[in-house]
Amino acid sequence: MMRVNITETVLRDAQQSLVATRMPFSDFEGILETLDQAGYYSLECWGGATFDSCLRYLNEDPWERLRKIKSKVKNTKLQMLFRGQNILGYKHYPDDVVRKFVALSAKNGIDIFRIFDALNDFRNIETAVDEVKKQGKHAQGCICYTVSPIHNLEKYAAMGKELEKMGVHSICIKDMAGIMGPQEAYDLVKALKESVKLPVFLHTHSTTGLAPVTYAKAVEAGCDGIDTAISSFSGGTSQPPTETMDYSFNQMGYETGLNDKVLKKINDYFKTLRADYIASGLMDPLVMGTETDALVYQIPGGMLSNLISQLKAQNAIDKLEDVLAETPRVRKDLGYPPLVTPMSQMVGVQAATNILVGERYKNISKEVKSYVKGEYGRAPGEIDSELMNKVMGDEKPMTSRFADTLEPLFEKTKKELKDVARNDEDVLSYIAFPQIAEAFFKKREEKESKTVYYTITRK
Ligand code: CO
């Protein structure tokens, strides 16, 4: 029997997409052992925005969260999303920090590292992949999916080959916007399976409603695994429902390894949680609906809503159509980058600025300047020569890897922090999010001294 591997995203992408990553550990602690019995290929539970959100909003140590998950999930592989040289943030870190982060993530419980670079510049994932392999864990390399005149099957197949050569254990096609259609998925998976020997996974979102059909065709073409979310946290900006996909693939003659009785228990648990979140206003049921505008404009749903709120804030919502027309032009000028963080923000803000100022590239954002200089990596296509001249003058953009210009940072920061950091994990939290981590350390200190005081006075 053919197999489709299922990765459950409820603890990471689903809750990141539906409730802005505000699900505290205490809300899912009670279901971890059940999740472990469902038969998932893996449980995506860390990385992406979860790390930042733990420190910033939930007053949780992200490393401790990972250890607690690991202590209850003993059979299922734990998976994280890792932004290559950006780790979990928006800027590039030196290699020593990337290596330390991978090593400690592995030590604290991560088995599968899904690693991507927004520009598909694989020099930016090489260090992370290498360290994951050194740690004896699974390195999954990503291809960020985008549609443009310069992206075609040959190019994607070549990317797959490059990843295979790098030594990744599997490849994930990452469709962060949910705009990949069924035929595109079929052709792309087929092209990859014909050019590499590795398992191929597909990650998409339900935003436009295409996802279940897209998954079906991808699997038909030989896709080895897909990402789904338990039904009460599925749909809309999240992933397609686990139970529905399981049911469909069983009917089509595939085995998933999932136990539907256990899935029912998991869903009952999260259904209650969803009701709480809707009642408290944390979850807006609208995000679970289907939004087909992304198909019309060919930009991710999240980017569209950002543009709308940005224009509203500037009393310029009447310019929306102009900005939407300018967006693909800016993307073309930048050499067709995939519209994933941070490129989606960069392109959107620059398009809005071009329209609101009334002259193209009169004001160029700091981020676009760095991008044109080559500090984010290699642009997929040619950068417009006029824009290039405007930013660079007579200088040449950098062709080497930006991280090579960065000094090692870990030991130096560790020394500076002294007792503020209790362990190497704390040092990494601080390097990733300095102010937020510092505030968290302080609160942790206060909370513990109160607990000690309480214990002493009670005696
Ligand atoms: Co996603």
Side-chain angles (χ1 to χ4, degrees):
M1 213 179 194
M2 283 187 295
R3 191 183 170 91
V4 186
N5 293 301
I6 307 281
T7 295
E8 173 64 52
T9 66
V10 64
L11 301 184
R12 209 286 296 175
D13 207 359
Q15 65 120 341
Q16 181 171 328
S17 303
L18 298 177
V19 294
T21 337
R22 305 294 163 82
M23 191 188 282
F25 177 76
S26 53
D27 279 3
F28 62 81
E29 182 178 13
I31 197 67
L32 284 171
E33 277 144 333
T34 315
L35 279 163
D36 193 27
Q37 288 155 17
Y40 294 119
Y41 169 75
S42 65
L43 190 58
E44 192 195 39
C45 63
W46 214 58
T50 61
F51 195 95
D52 182 7
S53 182
C54 276
L55 291 167
R56 195 189 295 259
Y57 304 111
L58 302 173
N59 205 18
E60 269 183 53
D61 181 345
W63 301 96
E64 193 186 326
R65 170 184 285 208
L66 175 56
R67 286 191 295 273
K68 283 167 151 172
I69 295 173
K70 190 70 175 179
S71 74
K72 293 191 185 259
V73 180
K74 297 197 162 86
N75 307 301
T76 313
K77 290 191 172 93
L78 299 185
Q79 184 172 319
M80 80 173 286
L81 184 66
F82 197 101
R83 285 189 197 136
Q85 211 67 31
N86 298 354
I87 308 179
L88 304 168
Y90 305 99
K91 60 171 197 174
H92 284 228
Y93 292 95
D95 286 339
D96 71 317
V97 174
V98 172
R99 287 191 184 278
K100 195 81 183 173
F101 210 104
V102 168
L104 290 185
S105 302
K107 185 180 154 218
N108 283 282
I110 295 297
D111 303 292
I112 301 176
F113 292 74
R114 178 177 283 175
I115 309 167
F116 78 97
D117 175 69
L119 297 175
N120 290 322
D121 180 345
F122 297 146
R123 295 174 304 173
N124 292 333
I125 71 167
E126 229 163 30
T127 305
V129 167
D130 184 61
E131 189 61 36
V132 170
K133 286 164 65 190
K134 277 198 179 124
Q135 297 295 327
K137 302 294 181 183
H138 182 123
Q140 184 172 84
C142 284
I143 295 173
C144 292
Y145 176 74
T146 192
V147 180
S148 89
I150 61 156
H151 287 87
N152 51 39
L153 291 177
E154 289 72 43
K155 192 157 186 168
Y156 283 123
M159 287 182 198
K161 281 213 166 88
E162 205 184 323
L163 288 172
E164 187 172 53
K165 213 171 120 202
M166 196 186 286
V168 301
H169 300 102
S170 62
I171 292 176
C172 170
I173 307 165
K174 192 171 153 62
D175 173 30
M176 45 285 157
I179 53 166
M180 184 189 287
Q183 195 59 44
E184 289 166 316
Y186 185 89
D187 295 340
L188 181 50
V189 170
K190 203 149 191 75
L192 280 171
K193 292 297 277 190
E194 276 163 11
S195 44
V196 300
K197 290 187 186 66
L198 300 171
V200 173
F201 291 74
L202 177 58
H203 171 86
T204 188
H205 288 255
S206 286
T207 326
T208 60
L210 288 170
V213 197
T214 299
Y215 276 160
K217 288 299 280 184
V219 168
E220 221 180 280
C223 179
D224 299 274
I226 56 168
D227 287 6
T228 64
I230 199 74
S231 57
S232 42
F233 273 72
S234 73
T237 50
S238 173
Q239 272 75 44
T242 307
E243 303 94 305
T244 315
M245 296 314 301
D246 175 48
Y247 188 95
S248 310
F249 284 119
N250 284 334
Q251 195 171 82
M252 289 161 70
Y254 293 88
E255 64 159 7
T256 58
L258 292 176
N259 179 325
D260 50 5
K261 290 190 188 68
V262 179
L263 291 183
K264 166 88 174 102
K265 275 190 211 163
I266 297 168
N267 190 44
D268 286 346
Y269 183 94
F270 282 105
K271 213 183 253 184
T272 312
L273 197 58
R274 178 180 65 180
D276 294 346
Y277 286 176
I278 291 175
S280 72
L282 179 59
M283 188 192 281
D284 177 352
L286 264 184
V287 297
M288 299 177 116
T290 305
E291 179 50 82
T292 51
D293 280 357
L295 294 177
V296 178
Y297 299 116
Q298 288 287 314
I299 66 171
M303 185 177 166
L304 188 61
S305 50
N306 276 346
L307 278 178
I308 291 172
S309 57
Q310 192 192 334
L311 289 174
K312 274 189 183 153
Q314 298 183 59
N315 267 329
I317 193 66
D318 57 310
K319 295 277 198 302
L320 180 63
E321 286 299 323
D322 294 340
V323 173
L324 286 172
E326 174 67 2
T327 304
R329 289 196 288 260
V330 171
R331 182 165 174 252
K332 176 172 185 275
D333 293 342
L334 296 181
Y336 299 106
L339 294 177
V340 59
T341 304
M343 296 315 302
S344 44
Q345 290 84 344
M346 215 186 278
V347 170
V349 169
Q350 191 60 52
T353 308
N354 286 357
I355 293 298
L356 296 181
V357 173
E359 186 185 329
R360 304 192 77 217
Y361 305 113
K362 189 169 182 206
N363 297 345
I364 303 175
S365 75
K366 194 173 108 242
E367 289 78 15
V368 169
K369 279 184 187 157
S370 310
Y371 172 87
V372 173
K373 285 179 189 162
E375 291 175 3
Y376 284 83
R378 243 189 320 252
E382 292 274 325
I383 293 178
D384 176 72
S385 57
E386 245 175 79
L387 174 62
M388 180 64 92
N389 283 339
K390 226 172 200 171
V391 173
M392 301 303 299
D394 294 333
E395 279 172 75
K396 285 262 169 289
M398 89 186 306
T399 50
S400 58
R401 196 181 66 123
F402 183 64
D404 289 333
T405 66
L406 303 171
E407 293 291 325
L409 192 61
F410 183 81
E411 291 303 331
K412 184 172 157 256
T413 313
K414 188 174 172 173
K415 262 189 211 117
E416 282 166 12
L417 283 175
K418 287 187 195 124
D419 296 345
V420 176
R422 293 178 181 175
N423 46 39
D424 287 359
E425 283 84 348
D426 274 358
V427 178
L428 288 175
S429 300
Y430 181 86
I431 290 174
F433 303 102
Q435 289 91 2
I436 295 149
E438 215 174 350
F440 168 77
F441 296 154
K442 218 169 164 186
K443 269 186 256 165
R444 181 175 65 184
E445 204 70 47
E446 283 165 14
K447 196 170 139 200
E448 286 175 2
S449 61
K450 261 186 217 147
T451 318
V452 170
Y453 175 75
Y454 180 71
T455 326
I456 294 169
T457 47
R458 262 188 64 180
K459 272 184 191 162

